[in-house]
C-alpha cells in the first residue's frame, strides 16, 4: 500500500455539479483520499449510483511565495495557505 500524506487542509469542494461547500482533505495518497465534511448529502448527490465514482473539484486559495526554474525548462513554485491578512510583502 501507499503511504498517506496527512494534510488536514481546509478547502472548498464540490462533487459533480453540486454546490461548493467547506470540506477538509484529511489525507491523500496515490490510491485514495479521506475527506471530512458536515454535509454527506452533498457528496452523495454527486456520486454515480452505479459505480460510486465522483468527479471532485477542489478550490484551494493560496498566495505565490516563490518561483525558481528547474531542470528541463520547468518551473517549481511555492504557495502559501491560510493567509490571514492583506499585508504587503517585502522581498
Amino acid at each position: 500500500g501507499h503511504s498517506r500524506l496527512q494534510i488536514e487542509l481546509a478547502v472548498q469542494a464540490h462533487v459533480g455539479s453540486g454546490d461548493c461547500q467547506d470540506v477538509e482533505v484529511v489525507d491523500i495518497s496515490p490510491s485514495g483520499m479521506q475527506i471530512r465534511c458536515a454535509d454527506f448529502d452533498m457528496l452523495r448527490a454527486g456520486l454515480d449510483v452505479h459505480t460510486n465514482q465522483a468527479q471532485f473539484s477542489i478550490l484551494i486559495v493560496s498566495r505565490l511565495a516563490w518561483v525558481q526554474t528547474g531542470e528541463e525548462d520547468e518551473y517549481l513554485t511555492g504557495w502559501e495557505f491560510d493567509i490571514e491578512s492583506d499585508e504587503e510583502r517585502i522581498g
Side-chain angles (χ1 to χ4, degrees):
H2 296 285
S3 62
R4 288 188 171 259
L5 177 64
Q6 296 287 134
I7 53 178
E8 298 176 10
L9 179 63
V11 299
Q12 291 247 312
H14 66 89
V15 179
S17 58
D19 293 331
C20 241
Q21 79 162 359
D22 293 328
V23 302
E24 180 185 24
V25 181
V26 178
D27 66 33
I28 195 162
S29 78
S31 63
M33 63 181 171
Q34 291 186 58
I35 290 183
R36 183 178 292 121
C37 65
D39 181 8
F40 182 70
D41 289 339
M42 182 278 293
L43 295 178
R44 187 168 45 213
L47 286 176
D48 181 293
V49 294
H50 303 295
T51 64
N52 266 358
Q53 288 187 326
Q55 178 174 334
F56 275 82
S57 295
I58 296 179
L59 173 65
I60 299 175
V61 177
S62 60
R63 177 183 287 164
L64 181 63
W66 53 265
V67 179
Q68 71 184 43
T69 53
E71 299 169 17
E72 301 177 25
D73 294 328
E74 83 268 3
Y75 293 91
L76 188 61
T77 58
W79 298 83
E80 296 176 336
F81 296 134
D82 226 2
I83 305 302
E84 302 274 332
S85 67
D86 292 329
E87 291 175 16
E88 286 297 313
R89 283 206 107 177
I90 298 173

